[in-house]
Amino acid sequence: MLNLKKTAVAVLALSSSAVFAGSMGPVCSAVNVTVPCESTAWDFGAKALYLQPAFSGGDYSYSAVNNTTGAYQDFNQSWAWGFFIEGSYHFNTGNDANLNWYHIDKSTTRNMSGDFNLMRAPDTDFQSAQARINPKWDAVNLEFGQHVDFGENKNIRFHGGFQYARIANTMKLTGTNAADVNNGLNVVAQAKPTYNGFGARVGADMGYDWGNGLGVYANGAAALLAGTSKVSNSVTDNTGASATLSASKATIVPELEAKLGLKYGYAMAQGDLTLDVGWMWVNYFNPTQAIQSNIATGNAPQAVSGDFGLQGLYFGLNWLGNVA
């Protein structure tokens, strides 16, 4: 009887194990999540930017209407060269402090004709006109990052910090008024929107290493800036008549940015050199204002907010000093 009980217990144990094993399904091992070993190092980088700035909303989107064709002529910004410079200090187990600066400053002049609506200037049927625009963008980021490895090929650098941004544009229209050909009235209209903001910024830089120094990455970041949006408009003519109008308000501006790129790293005796090339997108939501009114006749002004964005190519080098 005792042997029979032992046999029954053994059968039940084996059958129970089989049931549990069958219900488990395939078992996958988790990828090891690690951080680099403790070390210190410096790195410095510089990139050339080739970006196209763009404004939306109000008079910064369209500058004139051609009465013959009915088509709008827009302030399509020319592609602009700029720069990006950065420096980092690496410490502890994958930590870093990074300071970087983006800068764009581009002036474009266009010869135009038509019914201009820039700042609702009076008698805007120009026989000929010249429009000059000069968008500027500066963004300074202070980031504190943590590098994390997900297996041998994948890694993410999480970062948080602060951004200071300045967005400015000068738009100047000089032309001869076709409606006043008897006295050749020359009109100069100018608008200067600016935004200065400071706030928190977070992001993640995701990379995948192919091997032999090659890798791809996708970076994303978002910021929330508190600052002041200002605009100043003026219209003058050769008779001495002039009118000005300005506006200023405090505003909260969200910002989004993304990058996709390729990199190639080369180990040297004095450190690691990395070649970096990619495409970037940046957008600030409603940082600028356009005053839509005829400031000469005193109609009630309406300040319309608009976005500012950039997109385009960048390429450059980064040097990482020998790890201590």
Side-chain angles (χ1 to χ4, degrees):
M1 180 64 69
L2 183 61
N3 291 335
L4 180 59
K5 289 182 179 180
K6 290 181 178 180
T7 302
V9 170
V11 170
L12 288 174
L14 289 173
S15 61
S16 176
S17 299
V19 170
F20 284 120
S23 63
M24 289 288 289
V27 178
C28 298
S29 60
V31 174
N32 291 329
V33 179
T34 60
V35 295
C37 296
E38 186 172 354
S39 62
T40 59
W42 290 90
D43 79 67
F44 302 94
K47 296 180 178 66
L49 308 177
Y50 189 59
L51 307 179
Q52 184 180 38
F55 288 87
S56 69
D59 294 328
Y60 303 146
S61 299
Y62 301 100
S63 60
V65 178
N66 188 310
N67 291 325
T68 302
T69 63
Y72 276 93
Q73 297 175 321
D74 62 24
F75 273 127
N76 190 21
Q77 314 293 324
S78 297
W79 289 76
W81 285 101
F83 63 79
F84 168 83
I85 55 177
E86 65 175 333
S88 299
Y89 175 64
H90 301 260
F91 59 97
N92 291 341
T93 54
N95 299 110
D96 69 82
N98 177 276
L99 181 64
N100 59 72
W101 175 25
Y102 293 89
H103 175 75
I104 287 288
D105 186 345
K106 173 66 176 179
S107 178
T108 302
T109 301
R110 301 182 186 278
N111 294 317
M112 311 174 77
S113 62
D115 185 9
F116 286 81
N117 67 2
L118 177 63
M119 296 173 290
R120 301 297 188 266
D123 299 323
T124 53
D125 187 9
F126 286 98
Q127 184 179 20
S128 63
Q130 185 180 78
R132 179 180 178 271
I133 53 176
N134 183 200
K136 300 178 182 179
W137 173 56
D138 289 282
V140 178
N141 301 307
L142 177 60
E143 304 172 358
F144 301 94
Q146 171 65 63
H147 182 99
V148 180
D149 292 309
F150 296 84
E152 296 182 359
N153 304 107
K154 299 180 289 293
N155 62 81
I156 300 179
R157 173 182 172 262
F158 300 97
H159 61 85
F162 307 94
Q163 180 180 106
Y164 165 76
R166 182 177 188 273
I167 300 167
N169 195 10
T170 299
M171 309 173 65
K172 186 176 183 180
L173 178 68
T174 304
T176 301
N177 195 318
D180 291 283
V181 292
N182 293 329
N183 58 18
L185 185 66
N186 295 322
V187 176
V188 178
Q190 185 167 269
K192 291 184 176 181
T194 60
Y195 174 77
N196 290 274
F198 176 82
R201 182 174 179 266
V202 296
D205 303 340
M206 298 166 283
Y208 184 87
D209 297 326
W210 282 335
N212 297 321
L214 289 173
V216 296
Y217 62 84
N219 300 346
L224 192 62
L225 310 178
T228 303
S229 176
K230 299 180 179 181
V231 62
S232 175
N233 288 7
S234 64
V235 176
T236 59
D237 60 44
N238 58 345
T239 67
S242 64
T244 60
L245 191 64
S246 62
S248 176
K249 67 175 182 177
T251 184
I252 303 295
V253 172
E255 181 254 357
L256 294 175
E257 58 186 86
K259 293 180 181 177
L260 292 176
L262 298 169
K263 61 181 181 179
Y264 173 73
Y266 179 74
M268 303 187 303
Q270 301 301 320
D272 297 335
L273 189 66
T274 301
L275 174 64
D276 190 3
V277 60
W279 199 271
M280 67 181 292
W281 300 263
V282 180
N283 194 76
Y284 293 83
F285 295 88
N286 294 325
T288 61
Q289 298 183 79
I291 302 178
Q292 294 187 328
S293 67
N294 188 329
I295 64 178
T297 60
N299 292 343
Q302 295 181 350
V304 179
S305 299
D307 294 352
F308 172 73
L310 306 105
Q311 59 94 25
L313 178 72
Y314 63 88
F315 55 91
L317 295 171
N318 182 275
W319 175 80
L320 174 66
N322 286 329
V323 175

